[in-house]
Amino acid sequence: MNLAELQDVAYKGGMPKFVGKQLAEWIYAKGAESFDEMVNISKKNKQWLADNYIIGRELPVKSSKSTDGTVKYLFSAGNGRHIESVYIPDHDRATLCVSSQVGCKMNCYFCATGKLGFKANLTAADIMNQILSIPPRPTKGMAPMNPLTNVVFMGMGEPLDNFGAVERAIEILTAPWGLAWSPKRITVSTVGKLPQLKELLDRTQVHVAISVHTADIAQRESMMPAQKAFPISSVMKCLAGYDFSHQRRLSLEYIMWRGVNDDIAHADMLVKLIGDIECRVNLIRFHAIPGVDLYPASEERMLMFRNYLNQKGITATIRASRGEDIAAACGMLAAKS
């Protein structure tokens, strides 16, 4: 719930309006898991709240830790369904990769989540639970020691295919009554689903990452069915109308496959696609999944590709691969418990 809805809860229970703000503080800022923890709300009002509402927090069902420190969490999504989140520590940064759907409609050829098909949209509560319920747990009566510095919507699902819930989660993360984060701590990844991409750009200030993977249109259409509905040329035209030269960042995601999209001709197509749009290109190692006859590009090819883009004035980096040994790396999430 947002602040207005929490205030409405207080009103329904015959409580002053300010109790709604207290509820927001306890649930979001302090991470309360029960109404009993809310010491500045009367016993009678806490009982009424407990009789009519639940906090809605659920701990992960299971976790797996990688040799590189990455942790994958399995969460229940109701009706026997599950989703995964990935915690990625990196020096002074700690990023949580969250899911927005059970499965995915986009059916990208190279993605394990896409192989599941679409099962369900997550609610804003399901999304926030991933963020609020990962360890370490707080000491009773103290504010939670949430270790996160960043959240990326790059887990299971296409975030803009569940835009309402994702937007609400962003509101809770950034609102003064919520977690009060800067929107620059949040990145939303998408295949380029229009018109929701424009809504995200207009209504939030979060960073945006576009899954490009190849600038060869026929090739992209064969591997990413979303290309037919949302052509990458239309996506780039939309992005060209926004300023990414200051604090807000645009990233283009590019998985590299051996002998498929890892040569200079493909690099040149990507340069032409970008034009003069301010962005960063993240080159990503492919992580093999069952039933997909694609192979990772060589280190030499990735370096060549990166250097070519840099020479053309485009900032390109090779993303460090994390959590592959626990099937937590890019494209591997399938919630197989």
Side-chain angles (χ1 to χ4, degrees), residues 7-15 48 53:
Q7 289 172 333
D8 190 50
V9 165
Y11 176 77
K12 285 177 183 174
M15 298 170 237
W48 183 87
Y53 295 92

Side-chain angles (χ1 to χ4, degrees), residues 128-142:
M128 288 305 304
N129 186 60
Q130 296 169 70
I131 295 162
L132 294 171
S133 294
I134 63 165
R137 308 304 307 144
T139 304
K140 190 166 181 63
M142 294 181 65

